[in-house]
Amino acid sequence: MSRRPVTVFFKLGALGDTIMTTPALRAYRKSFPHEEIIYIIGKTCEAALLGNPNIDRLITFDDDAFYTGGMIARMKTVFKVTNLIKSFRAEKIFIMQREGAWDNAAKSAGVPERYGFSEGKSKHLTRMLTNGDEFHDVDAYIELCKLAEGFKPDGHAMNVYHSEAEPERIRNLSGSLFDKKVISVAPGGRSGMKTEDDLRRWRGYLELIKKIVAETDCNVLVIGSRSDKELLDTSSFDESRVKNLCGKIPVAGSYAALKRCALLIANDGGAMILGAAAGIPVVSIFGPTCPLNRYPITNHLSRYIWLEKKCSPCIKDGSFPKKTDHSCMKDITPDMVFAEVKDILGQLEKK
């Protein structure tokens, strides 16, 4: 029996970034159904791809050692991944990561066709996308795959999968919350691998929830990680109106819950992308990062709030500013965000 051609997708980094690769992945599977697709992903983002039928083999590695360890730990991680790639005897690899170390790893592993991002010529890549920053991140991954002859795009819909048990779990945890229209709130920000990223977190959610409860008939669902629960104390609210499930449901559970929500309010982070994947309107709050490459694009009612301060964006390529007054987030008021929420609710009522 002849061996199927093997293509490797490689990614590490944040949950949302990984989810944004799934439209390109789905299109690649449809374009090349005869190939075996292996996706190598950092362990911290494995949840974004679990159950994805467009992947034949999902392989994880310790990305925490790469980002938080010293030089030796980083070198060991690259060496392990290089040997892993080599063992697959792949014909093609798509490096969905803008770090030269992984381009070199692909070349060292002996993969003949190596696709990746580059600002110019690269001795490690055989085909490269040199203007990736000009596209939304979802489109950048699609454009990268278009470098492979025969690839046909398949839209912007992002794929996240959950078990049949997740909707039932949400029903048990939420009680009667979904008897009314539900607005979801995600107070966390992107937890970067290089450092805990507190700069993306807007601090006005408590006042915003008070406005939603007082001025609308909607209930509120708070989602996020266990650490996010400490950012927002909702104990003063009636649980029949405001339910805090931070740390109580996995990524797939959050996605299943968002599918039932009217809209999501979130900072730049994984929850924002989960909302986009769920196809609901998202009000995203940006400050230290630029929304132009990341804002949710899957629902026409989605919009972002960004004051575009002179110092913003200050988080670039994973590097954080040493000092900031955080005015880009502090100057965004609950009234500004609530105005967007009311506008979306009004347009949903017209449907």
Side-chain angles (χ1 to χ4, degrees), residues 330-349:
K330 288 179 180 177
D331 290 349
I332 295 174
T333 68
D335 284 336
M336 289 180 189
V337 181
F338 188 58
E340 300 296 341
V341 171
K342 287 196 296 183
D343 183 62
I344 291 175
L345 290 175
Q347 293 193 54
L348 289 174
E349 287 294 330

Side-chain angles (χ1 to χ4, degrees), residues 203-313:
R203 302 298 183 179
Y205 283 105
L206 194 60
E207 290 302 315
L208 177 64
I209 292 174
K210 289 179 181 178
K211 285 182 172 292
I212 293 172
V213 171
E215 300 184 36
T216 78
D217 291 328
C218 299
N219 291 334
V220 177
L221 174 67
V222 185
I223 62 169
S225 66
R226 187 175 291 106
S227 61
D228 291 338
K229 189 171 185 178
E230 300 174 2
L231 299 172
L232 192 59
D233 182 6
T234 58
S235 59
S236 63
F237 293 101
D238 182 348
E239 268 207 295
S240 67
R241 295 293 311 275
V242 180
K243 183 76 70 171
N244 194 330
L245 295 186
C246 286
K248 294 183 179 180
I249 51 177
V251 170
S254 294
Y255 174 74
L258 287 169
K259 293 282 284 185
R260 299 183 63 188
C261 293
L263 63 96
L264 166 70
I265 309 154
N267 307 319
D268 176 18
M272 176 186 77
I273 305 302
L274 271 179
I280 64 174
V282 180
V283 177
S284 47
I285 302 173
F286 285 82
T289 53
C290 178
L292 301 182
N293 301 105
R294 297 182 54 79
Y295 71 93
I297 59 175
T298 50
N299 188 297
H300 73 283
L301 291 179
S302 292
R303 72 280 309 267
Y304 61 83
I305 299 173
W306 187 43
L307 300 183
E308 204 167 351
K309 299 279 186 174
K310 290 182 179 179
C311 56
S312 181

Side-chain angles (χ1 to χ4, degrees), residues 72-89:
I72 294 177
R74 290 171 62 89
M75 291 175 63
K76 285 184 177 179
T77 303
V78 174
F79 180 74
K80 288 179 180 178
V81 173
T82 301
N83 285 336
L84 185 63
I85 296 172
K86 188 176 182 179
S87 70
F88 297 136
R89 294 182 295 156

Side-chain angles (χ1 to χ4, degrees), residues 122-154:
S122 172
K123 61 182 178 180
H124 304 307
L125 299 171
T126 54
R127 298 187 184 182
M128 64 202 76
L129 187 67
T130 58
N131 60 339
D133 290 340
E134 298 177 9
F135 299 95
H136 188 282
D137 284 355
V138 171
D139 285 313
Y141 297 127
I142 292 171
E143 290 295 318
L144 181 63
C145 288
K146 282 171 67 174
L147 296 176
E149 187 176 348
F151 175 84
K152 296 179 180 179
D154 186 45

Side-chain angles (χ1 to χ4, degrees), residues 4 14 102 201 238 284-285 323:
R4 293 169 67 193
W102 305 113
R201 292 172 179 153
D238 182 348
S284 47
I285 302 173
K323 293 182 180 180

Side-chain angles (χ1 to χ4, degrees), residues 5-12 17-18 20-32 35-42 49 52 54-61 81 84-85 88 90-97 102 106 111 113-117 138 140-148 151:
V6 174
T7 293
V8 171
F9 281 74
F10 174 86
K11 181 69 180 166
L12 78 162
D17 295 336
T18 303
M20 286 193 285
T21 71
T22 59
L25 174 67
R26 179 185 64 253
Y28 191 88
R29 164 61 80 194
K30 290 184 177 181
S31 300
F32 306 100
E35 294 184 6
E36 179 181 7
I37 296 177
I38 298 174
Y39 204 124
I40 302 176
I41 183 74
L49 298 174
N52 194 311
N54 299 310
I55 302 170
D56 293 301
R57 283 191 279 171
L58 181 62
I59 309 295
T60 62
F61 69 98
V81 173
L84 185 63
I85 296 172
F88 297 136
E91 280 75 18
K92 288 181 280 189
I93 183 169
F94 291 88
I95 305 161
M96 310 297 220
Q97 198 70 26
W102 305 113
V111 183
E113 295 184 41
R114 304 178 299 278
Y115 301 80
F117 298 99
V138 171
Y141 297 127
I142 292 171
E143 290 295 318
L144 181 63
C145 288
K146 282 171 67 174
L147 296 176
F151 175 84

